[in-house]
Amino acid sequence: MSFPEFSAGAHSSPSGVSLPKVTIPALSEMKRQGKPISALTAYDYPTARLADESGIDFVLVGDSLAMVVLGHQNTLSVTVDEMLHHTRAVRRAVHRALVVADMPFGSYHGTLAEAVANAVRFVKEAGAEAVKIEGPRVELVHAFVEAEIPVVGHLGLTPQSIHRMGGYRVQARTADAVLQLQADAFAIAHAGAGAIVLEGVPREAAEQITAALPIPTIGIGAGPYCDGQILVFHDLVNLAFAPPAKFVRRYADASALFRSAIEHYREDVEHRAFPSDAESYHLPESARRIIQIDRDDADAVVNPDAREEMNQQANYR
Ligand code: KIV
């Protein structure tokens, strides 16, 4: 086996500039250089491809998939197989960004061996380059790293803990809770996590933890001082059908755009304005000659003797 380039490869940005493949060590290097890390969720080929081609560094196949794609009330019911299916689609689309897959609720809550076996599936069967797990599960982070599976931690508001938290509530609102959060972040960093998502925590807490940690923090609802930021794609483009959280900035209104396109299409169909002649296939002249079109009642009368010859000429072009 040879390693001709000894690198993970390079890919072009929208401006044609060649950008190196994003890896877990590259994220730490970005932190060291003070370069903000852009992260976004994606769950399918087209959105992942757009994210990658737009220069996003870190694409997360989030278990938010359960809510924004599959229509569930929370993230708890999405399965490993569903997450694998979507991770594969994202993997096919992404060349430069780091592809991280969320491990769904229940897939890492049993024995360490079961959790490692599930994590291996994300890398081996779906092409994930890291998995993300929620909570300060230090032993588990260690076990994944031992199994050569890079891990992203997720602390603060952890949506898989919705029942314990009593809802999606901002976490770490007292000095003690901030100190505990910081201790948890240190513990999973020390166990080998490559980065930590900090969700739904006061900006001051995120700032202090970010400054103290050796690995990057990626914030969502955690203020401006994290090493990177992540948003859910459907929030970013207004496709989530729910009032946005305070931290969401909508950069486009895809709901309005798609709704108007769909309504326009339906009207065109109803008014027979679609398809036009230019959007229709045409018989070749030779076949046209053996068919009489009665344009008044739009009925095609085919000369039976010529039917066979016409069928042979028909081509889906
Ligand atoms: O599932 C998800 O989308 C996430 C992000 C909110 C970080 O975990």
Side-chain angles (χ1 to χ4, degrees):
M1 200 198 292
S2 68
F3 302 94
E5 289 175 22
F6 240 99
S7 87
H11 300 276
S12 295
S13 73
S15 56
V17 178
S18 184
L19 296 170
K21 171 81 184 91
V22 182
T23 59
I24 285 277
L27 295 184
S28 285
E29 182 56 20
M30 288 176 79
K31 176 177 178 112
R32 208 186 55 74
Q33 294 182 8
K35 282 193 191 159
I37 297 163
S38 58
L40 186 63
T41 67
Y43 317 93
D44 57 25
Y45 183 88
T47 54
R49 190 165 166 167
L50 290 173
D52 194 44
E53 290 178 1
S54 305
I56 291 290
D57 300 312
F58 172 137
V59 171
L60 173 69
V61 189
D63 62 353
S64 48
L65 159 75
M67 299 169 77
V68 297
V69 175
L70 303 179
H72 293 294
Q73 286 296 308
N74 55 49
T75 59
L76 301 182
S77 50
V78 70
T79 65
V80 169
D81 285 336
E82 286 168 333
M83 290 298 300
L84 286 171
H85 175 75
H86 286 268
T87 304
R88 284 188 205 105
V90 167
R91 173 71 285 165
R92 287 191 278 270
V94 172
H95 298 290
R96 175 187 168 265
L98 182 77
V99 174
V100 181
D102 247 343
M103 292 197 63
F105 178 65
S107 68
Y108 56 100
H109 301 75
T111 65
L112 284 185
E114 284 164 354
V116 170
N118 281 326
V120 164
R121 293 190 69 193
F122 280 95
V123 176
K124 198 172 180 124
E125 297 177 30
E129 292 158 326
V131 295
K132 179 166 81 57
I133 56 173
E134 297 185 5
R137 296 170 193 275
V138 177
E139 247 194 301
L140 196 52
V141 172
H142 192 69
F144 285 179
V145 172
E146 283 288 295
E148 307 295 351
I149 301 164
V151 194
V152 174
H154 185 158
L155 297 176
L157 192 171
T158 47
Q160 291 175 11
S161 318
I162 180 173
H163 296 317
R164 177 177 55 74
M165 293 182 307
Y168 297 123
R169 301 183 196 291
V170 175
Q171 303 292 300
R173 303 193 88 149
T174 64
D176 279 353
V178 173
L179 291 177
Q180 182 60 54
L181 184 64
Q182 181 158 336
D184 291 344
F186 262 102
I188 60 175
H190 191 67
I196 298 179
V197 169
L198 286 179
E199 177 166 359
V201 298
R203 55 184 278 169
E204 298 83 359
E207 180 178 13
Q208 177 168 329
I209 292 168
T210 300
L213 268 192
I215 58 170
T217 60
I218 312 290
I220 173 162
Y225 296 115
C226 292
D227 296 302
Q229 297 291 332
I230 185 162
L231 280 179
V232 167
F233 172 80
H234 292 64
D235 288 337
L236 182 96
V237 299
N238 188 25
L239 268 183
F241 300 98
K246 176 180 184 171
F247 59 80
V248 168
R249 187 179 296 176
R250 283 182 172 161
Y251 285 85
D253 191 353
S255 279
L257 183 74
F258 289 172
R259 193 184 296 278
S260 143
I262 294 165
E263 283 174 3
H264 200 161
Y265 162 71
R266 176 185 54 72
E267 281 163 17
D268 279 355
V269 170
E270 287 174 4
H271 293 102
R272 297 198 183 284
F274 173 84
S276 67
D277 188 54
E279 288 156 338
S280 305
Y281 295 105
H282 296 88
L283 276 175
E285 186 54 36
S286 56
R288 245 187 275 173
R289 272 191 275 109
I290 55 179
I291 289 183
Q292 297 167 340
I293 306 287
D294 181 338
R295 292 186 186 282
D296 289 341
D297 61 8
D299 204 11
V301 181
V302 178
N303 173 349
D305 296 337
R307 188 190 299 269
E308 188 54 34
E309 186 192 345
M310 187 195 74
N311 283 343
Q312 282 169 9
Q313 288 175 357
N315 232 334
Y316 196 71
R317 269 177 284 161

